[in-house]
Amino acid sequence: MKKIILFLLFLGLFYQQSQAQDRFFVIHAKDSIHGKPRFTSSFGVNMKLNGYLDLFGGLQDNETFNVGLINVFGTDDQASLHIDMYQTQLKFETSLITLNGQQISAVVESDFWGGNGMIRLRKAYVETDHWQIGQNWHNFGDEMIWPNIMEWEGPPSGVWQRVPHIKYKNTFNDKRYIYEISLEAPLNDYTPYKDLEPFVQETDQFTPDLTAAVRYVEPWGHLRLASVLRHIRYALQGEEDSFAGYGFSFSGLYSPTDSKDNLQFQVIGGKGITAFMTSIAGQGYDGYPNMDGTFSATPVFGGWSSYEYFITPQLHANAVIGYTNFNIKDASRYILIPDQEISDIYLNGQLKHEHYYGIFNMMYDPYERMTIGLELDYGVKRLDGEGSINQLFVDRSQSRDAMRISFGFIFYF
């Protein structure tokens, strides 16, 4: 405790009144190189109150509005109110100028979303003009886009994974085009749904994901095309093997130069990439065994779009829609769980899995650096399956919707 107090007092010695979204606590070196301080360090806090009132849909125990976690066979629609500060973020940043004028930046960012208020590492990386090494947003996603919403799961097809990586970036002759190539740590995290068993069992991964992306930048925003190639190991009935996954995403942001209004979007598709999509990430659905005795990567596609409109400089509204679909065909086996004690095992079947997502909110900025928001969240999860159970053909469709009111405030300093 004494160390924390001394640290805050130390930062207070270097307190500076800042402009825009600069941090309040900033340290500058007294000496300079090429007219710039030799180093600049800052500490900042993004304080967030996260409140949510679940009206129906069975997401009472989930801090975010994750449509994928709706149990289509569930019946608990009891209303539930939760309020916490766990999404508050702490951020340390340092920028160092070398003797030859090169800039080296470092970021460490954490929040309290590690379970019951435990601290969790979000980002930790070092970056130069061309290289980034450490943990940051996965290069298959677009770190420049995020809908301005109160709930922090985001649209079901969004790609917002953070993993350790090594990334190289540069420009072509036309500086508006920026390319990025990276090796990303493989994802290896299975948390199954309550209504659908994973198609495979978890096993160790040893091959990094390879990504490549090109971003086109203009004063009005950007467009970005990204790709990923994966080697995925799996375990099934005591045996281990592997298959390939690949995917593409196209995303962008448009904001008129004379306005803060903005339009954002992302479209994603591929095979064996469910691990990246926020509502189905890490749940073991990247691939499945098919009827001819081989293994298939699961086809998946989805997309989302958001629009933010500023009614006044302080009052703004956001609308977001999203959709995700993964569809398995000729599967040798999959399991639905309509009852906690009895499962339905489908042989030689097909399964279509869909998520729908919609949000509307109003936000008000009473002061600089502070935003208050009220939001309506609505989503639907649908499972359409068919196959043989005990040599009897069964065709089953089940869906469930959920609704939540999210509210809170964000204060930056």
Side-chain angles (χ1 to χ4, degrees), residues 196-201 236-237 287-292 294-295 328-336 343-351 386-388:
L196 175 64
E197 278 288 329
F199 303 139
V200 295
Q201 299 161 351
L236 184 65
Q237 297 177 346
Y288 63 94
N290 56 39
M291 290 190 293
D292 63 10
T294 61
F295 209 84
I328 66 171
K329 297 181 179 181
D330 299 326
S332 63
R333 158 182 156 136
Y334 67 88
I335 302 175
L336 297 182
S343 300
D344 290 342
I345 301 176
Y346 288 73
L347 304 178
N348 305 330
Q350 303 182 58
L351 176 68
E386 63 179 45
S388 299

Side-chain angles (χ1 to χ4, degrees), residues 171-228:
T171 62
F172 296 102
N173 290 334
D174 186 338
K175 302 299 182 182
R176 296 176 299 174
Y177 291 90
I178 303 169
Y179 66 89
E180 300 169 316
I181 301 172
S182 73
L183 291 175
E184 309 275 340
L187 297 170
N188 189 22
D189 178 22
Y190 281 22
T191 306
Y193 291 132
K194 294 180 180 179
D195 49 16
L196 175 64
E197 278 288 329
F199 303 139
V200 295
Q201 299 161 351
E202 182 177 1
T203 190
D204 292 330
Q205 307 293 323
F206 60 78
T207 307
D209 298 334
L210 173 65
T211 76
V214 176
R215 185 167 75 246
Y216 173 70
V217 181
E218 286 283 358
W220 48 258
H222 75 276
L223 297 172
R224 188 174 190 268
L225 181 65
S227 62
V228 63

Side-chain angles (χ1 to χ4, degrees), residues 278-291:
T278 182
S279 66
I280 46 179
Q283 281 144 345
Y285 306 113
D286 279 329
Y288 63 94
N290 56 39
M291 290 190 293

Side-chain angles (χ1 to χ4, degrees), residues 138-385:
H138 199 290
N139 195 46
F140 185 48
D142 186 344
E143 65 177 300
M144 305 302 293
I145 60 174
W146 171 257
N148 194 3
I149 54 180
M150 297 306 299
E151 82 89 10
W152 274 7
E153 185 70 39
S157 60
V159 180
W160 291 294
Q161 300 287 346
R162 291 182 299 271
V163 298
H165 67 196
I166 300 175
K167 181 168 71 174
Y168 176 79
K169 60 181 178 179
N170 210 332
T171 62
F172 296 102
N173 290 334
D174 186 338
K175 302 299 182 182
R176 296 176 299 174
Y177 291 90
I178 303 169
Y179 66 89
E180 300 169 316
I181 301 172
S182 73
L183 291 175
E184 309 275 340
L187 297 170
N188 189 22
D189 178 22
Y190 281 22
T191 306
Y193 291 132
K194 294 180 180 179
D195 49 16
L196 175 64
E197 278 288 329
F199 303 139
V200 295
Q201 299 161 351
E202 182 177 1
T203 190
D204 292 330
Q205 307 293 323
F206 60 78
T207 307
D209 298 334
L210 173 65
T211 76
V214 176
R215 185 167 75 246
Y216 173 70
V217 181
E218 286 283 358
W220 48 258
H222 75 276
L223 297 172
R224 188 174 190 268
L225 181 65
S227 62
V228 63
L229 180 63
R230 311 180 66 203
H231 176 261
I232 307 165
R233 285 175 51 79
Y234 69 92
L236 184 65
Q237 297 177 346
E239 297 184 3
E240 295 187 2
D241 206 337
S242 63
F243 62 97
Y246 63 89
F248 300 91
S249 69
F250 180 56
S251 57
L253 182 152
Y254 173 74
S255 180
T257 55
D258 59 348
S259 170
K260 293 195 292 183
D261 298 350
N262 64 86
L263 172 70
Q264 303 181 56
F265 74 90
Q266 183 179 54
V267 180
I268 179 173
K271 291 186 175 183
I273 60 168
T274 64
F276 298 115
M277 304 171 78
T278 182
S279 66
I280 46 179
Q283 281 144 345
Y285 306 113
D286 279 329
Y288 63 94
N290 56 39
M291 290 190 293
D292 63 10
T294 61
F295 209 84
S296 297
T298 304
V300 60
F301 71 90
W304 63 270
S305 181
S306 71
Y307 183 69
E308 182 172 24
Y309 176 69
F310 278 79
I311 303 167
T312 72
Q314 293 176 288
L315 182 64
H316 42 118
N318 292 269
V320 186
I321 57 173
Y323 174 75
T324 297
N325 174 302
F326 75 75
N327 195 351
I328 66 171
K329 297 181 179 181
D330 299 326
S332 63
R333 158 182 156 136
Y334 67 88
I335 302 175
L336 297 182
I337 313 172
D339 187 277
Q340 292 184 352
E341 298 180 357
I342 302 174
S343 300
D344 290 342
I345 301 176
Y346 288 73
L347 304 178
N348 305 330
Q350 303 182 58
L351 176 68
K352 186 177 182 181
H353 188 164
E354 297 173 293
H355 298 162
Y356 300 87
Y357 176 97
I359 277 183
F360 178 78
N361 68 35
M362 296 292 295
M363 292 185 169
Y364 179 64
D365 307 329
Y367 314 105
E368 181 185 4
R369 299 173 177 272
M370 187 171 192
T371 298
I372 300 171
L374 180 64
E375 177 176 281
L376 180 65
D377 309 325
Y378 180 75
V380 179
K381 177 178 176 180
R382 182 180 181 89
L383 293 176
D384 292 308

